[in-house]
Amino acid sequence: MKRMIFVLIFICTSMVLAVSLSLGAGGNVENSTGTAPDRYVYYPGTEELGSEEIRLIALGTGMPLARRSQAATCWLVELGNGDKFLFDIGTGANANLSALMIPFDFLSKLFITHLHTDHWGDLAGLWAGGWTSGRTGPLELWGPSGATEEMGTKYAVEHFLKAYNWDRMTRLANLPSQPGGITVHEFDYKGENQIVYEENGVTIRSWPAIHAGDGSVSYALFWQGMKIVIGGDTMPNQWYIEHAKDADIAIHEAFMTPELLVKFYNQAPKTALGVGTYVHTSPQAFGKVMSEVKPKHAIAYHFFNESGTRYAIYDMIRETYDGELTMAKDMLVWNITKDGINVRDIVSTEEAWSVIGPTKPPEPDRTVPDQLSKWSLDHRWNVDDVQADMIKEFSEKYNLDK
C-alpha cells in the first residue's frame, strides 16, 4: 500500500511539473518574429559562461558495452575562466564530445580515473580525431600509477602509441607532428587528497578509489570556491567519504543491480552479485555514501538509464538518500554557480563539424618520410586527367606553389 501511495505521489508530482514546463517553456514570446527568452534546454555554443560559473556535461554515463543512447564514462567540466577539463574518455564518448562543436585546441586536458576500456577506450578517437581536425598541440593526459610499472598510465599510453604505430607513422608523414603527441603526467595512485594539477586558479586533487585492482582514483576540481567531485568507479571507501564532503556536485557510480545484470546484461548470478556489490557500488550503498557526504547535488551514473532499469535503481537509492539527485544520462548539462545548480537536456546536431580555434593550424612538418614504398607507388593508376584542374585552382587559391 505504501509503495502504491509513493508511486501515485511521484506520478502526480511529475504531471504537475510537466504542465508547469509546458506553460513556462521558453518564457513569454512578445511578437511573431521574436525569440523565446528562456532556455530550458542547452544548445552548445550559444551561451557564454559567467565569470564565476561552471558547466558540467555528461558525455558518457553507461556501461562497458556502449549504446547509441549511452556511451561509456566521460565528463566535461567547463569553467568561466575558459579552462576545460575532460574526465575519462570511455568507449563511444567522443561522438558526444564532437557534437558540442568545441575547438579541439580547448580539449587538450584529459584526466583518467583508471584504465578500464569504458573509461579510456575512446582515447584513439580523441587523439587522432583532434589531430586531424584542428588541435595544434599535444594532448595532455593525467592518470594514476599502478601497483607495478606495467599497470600504470604511462606504460598504458606508451604501448597505446605502439599499438597505433601504423596510424601514427602514416599521419606523421602527412600532418603536423606536434598535435600527434601525448604528454603523460602520471602520479602516485596512493596519494591522499594530493594536488595533481594547479594552474590559472584551478586545483585538481586525487585520492585512491577501490575498484577491481590497485590503480584507480577519484578527483575533485576546485575553482572560485566551488567543488566538483568525479568519483570514477569505486566501491564505497573512506577516502571518498572524507574528501568528497562539501561538494557542490558529487558524482559516484550507482551500478546496475545484480538482478538487472542477470536479466539484461547476460551475467551469471554469482558474477552479477560480485560485480554489482563488490567490484562496483550498489544503489543502496550509493545512497548511504551521499547521505554521509551531503553534497548540494548528487549524480548517480554507470547504469543503462531506461524504463526497465531506472525505477528499481531510483527506489533503492531513495531507501538511504533523500537529497538532490540526478539519475544521469548522456547529454545532460549542469550549470553551477554559488547561487544554485540548474540541470537541463542538451540539444545538439547529429552531423557536427569540427570548429577551428584562435590558433592557426600548423603546416605539415613531415618528421618521417612517406610511408608508401616505391613498390606501392609504381602501382598507382593515373587520374591526373580528371583532377589536374582542381589541384591547380586550389594551389593558386592558397599560394601552395610558392
Side-chain angles (χ1 to χ4, degrees), residues 26-76:
N28 295 325
V29 180
E30 300 294 337
N31 59 73
S32 61
T33 60
T35 60
D38 299 329
R39 295 289 179 89
Y40 60 98
V41 295
Y42 172 56
Y43 301 94
T46 65
E47 298 177 15
E48 185 172 355
L49 276 174
S51 61
E52 296 185 357
E53 183 179 8
I54 298 175
R55 182 187 292 133
L56 170 68
I57 295 178
L59 299 170
T61 57
M63 302 282 284
L65 182 62
R67 289 174 160 183
R68 283 195 299 176
S69 61
Q70 266 184 290
T73 304
C74 183
W75 305 90
L76 174 64

Side-chain angles (χ1 to χ4, degrees), residues 143-202:
S145 62
T148 59
E149 180 182 349
E150 64 271 17
M151 296 292 278
T153 301
K154 183 178 179 182
Y155 180 95
V157 174
E158 287 175 352
H159 287 75
F160 164 89
L161 290 173
K162 288 180 179 180
Y164 283 95
N165 192 56
W166 194 94
D167 184 302
R168 179 172 172 270
M169 294 297 287
T170 55
R171 295 191 198 281
L172 283 171
N174 297 283
L175 299 174
S177 60
Q178 191 77 357
I182 303 178
T183 303
V184 179
H185 307 274
E186 184 178 280
F187 55 85
D188 183 3
Y189 77 92
K190 291 183 178 179
E192 296 184 25
N193 207 32
Q194 65 185 338
I195 294 175
V196 297
Y197 179 92
E198 193 167 29
E199 190 174 329
N200 201 23
V202 182

Side-chain angles (χ1 to χ4, degrees), residues 12-33:
C12 291
T13 303
S14 300
M15 289 174 63
V16 170
L17 179 61
V19 170
S20 65
L21 284 175
S22 66
L23 293 174
N28 295 325
V29 180
E30 300 294 337
N31 59 73
S32 61
T33 60

